């Protein structure tokens, strides 16, 4: 059991689309499907319990991850500050569920689902194969971002607008500039603005630095447009019914 929390893990590495990875994706997908199609008209008590369940699970994931790194002497400002989109997304999700702040929700709906979704399919777990703590934390943390934002949308009744998509692009580009400056000052690589991640990612297909940074803009826009399609279709159906 201790080996599954060991920093110097000696078991098999994470296998992308291996059995454990596929099972994890299936569990997350089943929960998302249940939230979209299966959970109809929940009461306020049920929604309150769901919100606190998501919040509590995210807090456990966050604090256990940082504690594990501190205990193993591996925590550093260059790698573990909450400056990646998914790191911010976990804390933002907690804030959204506590306050129902639509301004934060509309930005994180696009950024959080796009970033966490990509990581779920290409996790950065490295040498840590399932069921090692690091691999479980990676899948659970990113899966919970997607689940939480879907929950806020389908159960709590929040939704993005067409304007939300473009506001998200503006915020993302401003943050890209800010985080690049921070990376130069800290010697870090948050958001991978100075180099590609060591693990496999979509950036591997976008050429060398700095070109992949610019091409990632078009990838992000494409993903945001795809995420908005269900709402665009729903709006068109509603307009036809009114007409």
């Amino acid at each position: 059991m201790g080996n599954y929390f060991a920093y110097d893990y000696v078991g098999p590495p994470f296998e992308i689309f291996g059995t454990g990875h596929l099972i994890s994706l299936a569990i997350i997908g089943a929960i998302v499907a249940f939230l979209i199609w299966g959970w109809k008209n929940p009461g306020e008590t049920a929604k309150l319990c769901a919100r606190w369940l998501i919040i509590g699970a995210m807090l456990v994931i966050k604090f256990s991850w940082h504690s594990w790194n501190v205990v193993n002497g591996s925590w550093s400002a260059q790698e573990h500050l909450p400056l990646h989109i998914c790191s911010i997304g976990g804390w933002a999700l907690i804030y959204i569920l506590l306050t129902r702040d639509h301004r934060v929700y509309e930005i994180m709906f696009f950024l959080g689902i796009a970033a966490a979704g990509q990581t779920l399919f290409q996790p950065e777990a490295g040498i840590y194969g399932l069921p090692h703590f690091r691999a479980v934390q990676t899948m659970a943390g990113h899966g919970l971002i997607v689940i939480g934002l879907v929950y806020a949308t389908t159960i709590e009744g929040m939704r993005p607008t067409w304007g939300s998509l473009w506001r998200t692009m503006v915020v993302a580009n401003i943050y890209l500039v800010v985080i690049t400056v921070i990376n130069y000052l800290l010697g870090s690589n948050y958001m991978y603005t100075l180099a590609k991640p060591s693990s496999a990612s979509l950036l591997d297909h976008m050429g060398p630095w700095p070109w992949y940074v610019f091409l990632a803009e078009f990838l992000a826009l494409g993903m945001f447009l795809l995420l908005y399609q269900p709402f665009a279709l729903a709006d068109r159906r509603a307009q036809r019914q009114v007409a």
Side-chain angles (χ1 to χ4, degrees):
M1 178 62 72
N3 190 42
Y4 292 118
F5 289 91
Y7 188 76
D8 52 349
Y9 176 65
V10 294
F14 193 98
E15 182 183 359
I16 293 180
F17 298 125
T19 301
H21 187 200
L22 291 175
I23 291 173
S24 300
L25 290 175
I27 292 171
I28 295 166
I31 296 172
V32 168
F34 173 71
L35 291 172
I36 296 174
W37 295 293
W39 201 13
K40 303 298 184 182
N41 301 317
E44 289 302 316
T45 300
K47 290 194 286 187
L48 179 63
C49 291
R51 287 197 300 272
W52 280 107
L53 178 62
I54 296 170
I55 290 169
M58 183 60 76
L59 287 172
V60 169
I61 290 168
K62 289 291 186 184
F63 285 112
S64 63
W65 165 238
H66 288 284
S67 298
W68 183 74
N69 280 284
V70 169
V71 168
N72 287 287
S74 59
W75 195 97
S76 69
Q78 286 71 35
E79 294 186 8
H80 298 99
L81 293 176
L83 296 177
H84 281 298
I85 288 298
C86 291
S87 298
I88 296 171
W91 294 110
L93 176 62
I94 292 172
Y95 176 77
I96 291 165
L97 294 179
L98 287 174
T99 66
R100 298 180 181 80
D101 188 328
H102 192 272
R103 293 169 300 177
V104 178
Y105 161 82
E106 69 175 357
I107 303 300
M108 292 315 304
F109 175 84
F110 293 106
L111 285 179
I113 293 180
Q118 194 274 329
T119 302
L120 284 172
F121 283 98
Q122 292 183 305
E124 300 175 37
I127 65 170
Y128 303 105
L130 290 164
H132 189 278
F133 162 76
R134 169 57 174 150
V136 173
Q137 178 268 333
T138 298
M139 295 301 295
H142 292 88
L144 200 58
I145 292 173
V146 175
I147 290 167
L149 290 168
V150 170
Y151 167 83
T153 305
T154 60
I155 306 302
E156 295 290 342
M158 305 179 79
R159 61 152 290 178
T161 64
W162 181 242
S164 301
L165 190 155
W166 299 105
R167 282 190 289 273
T168 302
M169 286 297 295
V170 171
V171 169
N173 278 278
I174 293 172
Y175 185 67
L176 194 68
V177 174
V178 172
I179 202 62
T180 300
V181 173
I182 292 174
N183 283 335
Y184 274 112
L185 293 175
L186 288 181
S188 55
N189 191 31
Y190 293 109
M191 292 288 296
Y192 309 116
T193 63
L194 302 183
K196 296 179 184 180
S198 56
S199 59
S201 73
L202 291 176
L203 298 180
D204 294 335
H205 306 286
M206 298 184 187
W209 184 91
W211 302 113
Y212 72 83
V213 177
F214 296 108
L215 290 175
E217 295 269 344
F218 295 98
L219 174 64
L221 179 58
M223 295 176 75
F224 295 169
L225 288 169
L226 185 63
L227 286 169
Y228 188 69
Q229 284 311 297
F231 305 98
L233 292 172
D235 290 343
R236 291 193 194 102
R237 284 197 298 268
Q239 289 173 357
R240 284 198 296 268
Q241 290 173 355
V242 171

